[in-house]
Amino acid sequence: MPNPPRSALFIDGANIYATTKALGFDIDYRKLLADFRARENLVRAFYYTALIEDQEYSSIRPLIDWLDYNGYRVVTKPVKEFTDSTGRRKIKGNMDIELTIDAMELSPYIDHMVLFSGDGDFRPLVAALQRRGVRVTVVSTVQTQPPMVADELRRQADDFVDIVQLIPRIGRDQGERPVRPPRALGADGPRDAGSRDYAPRDAGDRAPRPSVNLENRYGIRQNDEDDAED
């Protein structure tokens, strides 16, 4: 019996957050890890996200802490703020370079890369890994309007898996977290601002709300008014 392929998961936190929010479900990261461990020889599971360091509370922190202690390698960096030529405040927190470097360094030790992202900027990375003999699967969705996966990335990948197909295996139980209806996408992601935290928290905990712009770009979730009913 042949040995299962050595694989690694690379999760673009902000991109996959926008994807699951648009589809109306939450990922159960414990189930996700168990699912891939059961089918392949999972070498590493990476999760990438930018963080706002000067905030007293970030609603993504419970997720980051849980992942760190439960089998994931969490890679973070601080969000950078700057003012453009028109005087508008801008925020930058792209994790593409960090993900690319880790993938290239790990490529001699894996047979299969699973990329949870639809960002077309990863197409050159996918091509480089394929030249090294690594099979690449991209996980995103075409079930939203517009699709969350860039066409050039989907074409480059050896396999494309629509994350909708994985919901029965990696989705959070409905009794634990009600499924949200799918949302229409705007230029920067889902149009509505409300969402839920990744990890359960005390109903009385009311942290300051991050801006909608930060939520859409970096996967920093805001609190819903109905969180108190969880």
Side-chain angles (χ1 to χ4, degrees):
M1 182 177 178
N3 294 326
R6 298 169 300 170
S7 66
L9 306 182
F10 292 84
I11 302 172
D12 179 353
N15 188 278
I16 210 65
Y17 162 75
T19 299
T20 57
K21 182 182 179 184
L23 293 170
F25 84 100
D26 288 317
I27 292 177
D28 185 324
Y29 284 93
R30 188 189 304 274
K31 288 182 179 179
L32 188 153
L33 200 62
D35 184 76
F36 279 90
R37 280 177 171 170
R39 293 184 289 109
E40 301 189 16
N41 178 13
L42 190 62
V43 176
R44 289 286 186 274
F46 293 94
Y47 184 95
Y48 299 84
T49 190
L51 295 174
I52 305 174
E53 290 191 330
D54 60 353
Q55 272 197 340
E56 183 177 346
Y57 176 85
S58 171
S59 58
I60 199 174
R61 176 57 67 180
L63 171 67
I64 298 303
D65 291 341
W66 186 91
L67 293 174
D68 242 345
Y69 285 104
N70 289 276
Y72 290 85
R73 297 290 181 92
V74 178
V75 182
T76 66
K77 72 177 180 183
V79 170
K80 294 183 179 180
E81 299 185 24
F82 64 96
T83 303
D84 66 13
S85 58
T86 65
R88 298 182 64 184
R89 178 172 167 268
K90 299 285 187 178
I91 297 171
K92 182 178 181 181
N94 192 294
M95 299 293 295
D96 292 4
I97 295 297
E98 288 78 6
L99 191 156
T100 297
I101 291 173
D102 288 342
M104 293 300 293
E105 288 184 342
L106 197 61
S107 63
Y109 309 103
I110 61 175
D111 309 301
H112 183 204
M113 173 195 189
V114 183
L115 175 62
F116 280 76
S117 180
D119 190 342
D121 289 344
F122 288 123
R123 191 204 65 77
L125 169 63
V126 172
L129 289 172
Q130 290 168 332
R131 291 193 295 269
R132 292 177 174 227
V134 178
R135 182 168 62 90
V136 180
T137 296
V138 167
V139 181
S140 187
T141 190
V142 295
Q143 302 300 317
T144 56
Q145 292 297 328
M148 292 298 295
V149 61
D151 187 62
E152 61 269 24
L153 180 64
R154 185 181 177 190
R155 289 173 181 269
Q156 185 67 51
D158 295 291
D159 298 293
F160 171 73
V161 175
D162 197 303
I163 199 168
V164 170
Q165 301 172 11
L166 301 182
I167 292 177
R169 304 209 310 255
I170 69 171
R172 180 169 290 179
D173 293 338
Q174 293 190 24
E176 184 179 350
R177 179 72 68 187
V179 175
R180 300 182 299 270
R183 274 75 180 252
L185 296 179
D188 291 327
R191 289 194 180 116
D192 77 306
S195 70
R196 298 170 176 271
D197 287 345
Y198 286 103
R201 66 176 191 282
D202 186 82
D205 185 5
R206 283 293 175 265
R209 290 175 179 255
S211 72
V212 176
N213 206 30
L214 288 177
E215 179 191 6
N216 288 340
R217 292 190 181 189
Y218 304 116
I220 298 172
R221 297 193 173 224
Q222 292 184 291
N223 305 320
D224 275 343
E225 294 299 325
D226 59 354
D227 272 355
E229 297 176 4
D230 285 358

